[in-house]
Amino acid sequence: PDSVTAERAARVAISADGRYAAFCSRATPGDLVPGKNVPSGATDTSNVYVRDLVGSTTQILTLAATNPSVTSDGACGPDVQITPDGRYVAFRSTATNLLSGTWSYAAGTPSGWVYDRQTGERLILSNNHVMANSNNARPGDPILQPGPADGGELGPDEALVYEEVTA
């Protein structure tokens, strides 16, 4: 990334071997990854990127589920994390276009995500009114990944069991 891009980026997370740098940036997506565009009408967006410092390539992780040339319609949080081997990247985003299907949530609500750079799979980690059924979940209820609206089924797609945790 050039100096303008670096100036627009928040904190950077580096893999253990120093090869991969993961970051959230407000830079124009096409400046970092040619052919990537902000959705029509979206404003104040930011996206999550991984820069391969050895291969001199940049990958964007926050692409719209229905159009790989369109980026997130929301903003990512500055606390992007990358695993020591660079395979998984965790981030928060207010985007509403990262998953396809019939689910929805209020715009501006940050959700936790993990992107598997080896498989290209992006999984939502947390969004209470999606995963906990608008606060109707009870302890012991299964959490499906993918969710029921995206074809998830009891049994093979049970990722977790809902537990209430209070601080």
Side-chain angles (χ1 to χ4, degrees):
D2 61 27
S3 60
V4 173
T5 301
E7 185 177 314
R8 293 180 182 170
R11 189 177 66 89
V12 176
I14 307 289
S15 62
D17 63 2
R19 178 173 182 168
Y20 302 106
F23 58 97
C24 171
S25 177
R26 295 183 308 122
T28 302
D31 290 349
L32 295 176
V33 182
K36 305 303 179 189
N37 301 295
V38 174
S40 178
T43 60
D44 199 29
T45 63
S46 57
N47 288 283
V48 176
Y49 301 87
V50 173
R51 177 75 176 170
D52 181 338
L53 300 169
V54 173
S56 298
T57 59
T58 304
Q59 177 184 22
I60 187 169
L61 308 186
T62 45
L63 294 174
T66 58
N67 185 343
S69 67
V70 173
T71 64
S72 140
D73 62 0
C76 50
D79 52 349
V80 176
Q81 300 289 319
I82 193 165
T83 54
D85 63 0
R87 178 174 176 178
Y88 298 100
V89 178
F91 60 94
R92 290 181 301 129
S93 178
T94 61
T96 61
N97 64 344
L98 299 181
L99 287 179
S100 61
T102 58
W103 72 282
S104 65
Y105 60 87
T109 303
S111 296
W113 300 85
V114 169
Y115 185 89
D116 182 338
R117 296 183 58 246
Q118 185 173 349
T119 67
E121 190 171 30
R122 184 176 45 228
L123 302 173
I124 188 168
L125 290 179
S126 63
N127 195 299
N128 186 49
H129 42 287
V130 172
M131 295 185 138
N133 192 22
S134 296
N135 295 321
N136 292 325
R138 298 177 189 265
D141 285 353
I143 296 174
L144 306 180
Q145 183 63 24
D150 293 319
E153 298 177 356
L154 289 174
D157 297 319
E158 290 181 31
L160 301 168
V161 173
Y162 177 73
E163 293 180 27
E164 283 189 338
V165 178
T166 56

